Amino acid sequence: MKLKKENILIVDDDINILELLQRHLQSWNYHTYKAISVKEAVTILRDTHIDLLITDLKMPEIGGFELIKFVSEHYPKLPKLVVTGYPSVQESLTAIKSGVVEYLTKPFTKDELRAAIDKSFTEKTKGESSEIHAERNGGMKDEIKKDNVYGEIIGKSEKINNIIQTIERVKDNKATIFVRGESGTGKELVARAIHYQGKFSRAPFIAVNCGGIPENLLESELFGYTKGAFTGADKERDGFFQAANGGTIFLDEIGNASTSVQSRLLRVLQEKEVVKVGAQKAEKIDVRIIAATNSDLKEMIKKGTFREDLFYRLTVVEIIVAPLRDRKEDISLLVDKFLFKYGIEYKDRFVKISPETLSVLLRYDWPGNIRELENVIQRAVIMCDKVIKIEHLPDSLKFNIEFPKDKLLPLKEIEKRYIQKVLNATDNNKTKAAEILGIDRKTIRQKLLE
Ligand SMILES: Nc1ncnc2c1ncn2[C@@H]1O[C@H](COP(=O)(O)OP(=O)(O)OP(=O)(O)O)[C@@H](O)[C@H]1O
Ligand SMILES: [Mg+2]
């Protein structure tokens, strides 16, 4: 593929948008650079000749507004295209007097993007772009630097630190990695950190939910197909593997891959090549594979539904993401992050959390892990006025009884409380609770009435 001269830098904290933009831009042969934060964008601008900046406005830490100002100061000739969900920002941006700024409102079509890019380039003031290299960083560095944060991963527990150390070891090579953990623990976040912190971060990161694609389509989606491979295959098409070439493919819920997909995967891992559905010839491929699951693959191997040889090929490096209840030191950091996140999302609703509420959060078992914590905080930010109190928590947490440490209780009482605790943790799902407790649903009722 012949690359056009133009280098385009895309800045957005939403990785999906970054990937979408990159796909479109690459289809027009532009050379793309991606940044998920203003900090990263500034680094790229310093090291690379960029011909067009495409940026989002609303980003955590430092917003696109600041970036536009920075670029206008240091790279006055560089054209800027703002992609925003808020058409009203147009006026405020013009007010910066930052030269040419084009706008594109989300959601946009591929044609609208094309038109906006063309306009940005034509309106570009004559002369060389980005020739002035910035000498100073505009005071940004210190603002961005934060403790207990690695990419998007937040945490200070030993478990998180160990994960970060492993990521540091693997991020710059292409060893296959297997991420295991309960639902909502952050497996995808870990996969993204491996890619985006490493030296292949500018190459594509493609996330595939193997459980979300119908079984009969997964194979052709992953590996591509040739013309006539099946009814409806009217032309040859690349799959996710070809799209991820040079970068990372994240195979989420790998336990859902059919036996046929499994044997093709084995071939990719052994031979570093893929064969399109319907093709005879293999294509060489250079992709890092990160697989993840929350199902028990060992159990599946026993039942014969998952290939043992594939399992061992996939688990060259294994990262186990611990459930939140085993790293409660991270809870208050995560609460802060979510308070901030939803403070911004709900337009300056920055609220606090009372110490009693925090201790309820610390006591809870979090069966849905970080995702559940995030939902709880999101809901509480909406429900409360200025401070989150216990009353703003869902029932499962509100009534999470603490076992008294000093007072000794009769067994029946302990039993009752424990049953209640399991019920709370399962959102009152009696079938699930019965399964955990190892008794039937009727017995649960009886015991609670005793
Ligand atoms: N350490 C962390 N710091 C900040 N946010 C986190 C952390 N871990 C998880 N999250 C957030 O929690 C949510 C769930 O994380 P993620 O989707 O990575 O989990 P998962 O293990 O892939 O879950 P599932 O098995 O259900 O797919 C996401 O919104 C993610 O941003
Ligand atoms: Mg996931």
Side-chain angles (χ1 to χ4, degrees), residues 31 36 38 46 84 87 103 276 300 352 369-370 377 439:
H31 194 70
I36 49 166
V38 170
R46 274 202 204 119
T84 169
Y103 311 92
K276 284 191 171 115
M300 290 179 67
K352 291 200 163 66
N369 294 295
I370 292 115
I377 299 297
I439 55 179

Side-chain angles (χ1 to χ4, degrees), residues 99-131:
V100 188
V101 179
E102 286 302 326
Y103 311 92
L104 184 61
T105 312
K106 285 184 212 170
F108 52 83
T109 63
K110 197 173 172 182
D111 288 344
E112 286 164 348
L113 175 66
R114 174 79 263 180
I117 290 174
D118 288 344
K119 201 153 170 239
S120 304
F121 277 129
T122 26
E123 297 217 2
K124 178 180 145 184
T125 351
K126 286 199 173 67
E128 282 282 305
S129 68
S130 72
E131 62 190 354

Side-chain angles (χ1 to χ4, degrees), residues 187-188 250 252-253 371:
K187 295 185 292 297
E188 181 155 355
F250 175 52
D252 204 359
E253 297 186 39
R371 184 173 295 114

Side-chain angles (χ1 to χ4, degrees), residues 404-438:
K405 288 192 181 68
D406 40 2
K407 199 172 153 224
L408 297 172
L409 292 166
L411 202 52
K412 273 219 173 330
E413 185 59 27
I414 300 263
E415 197 175 63
K416 241 191 215 177
R417 290 185 183 203
Y418 185 64
I419 292 173
Q420 192 56 54
K421 189 174 170 172
V422 174
L423 278 171
N424 290 340
T426 54
D427 263 338
N428 240 353
N429 182 331
K430 297 215 171 55
T431 315
K432 251 197 222 159
E435 211 179 285
I436 294 170
L437 292 164

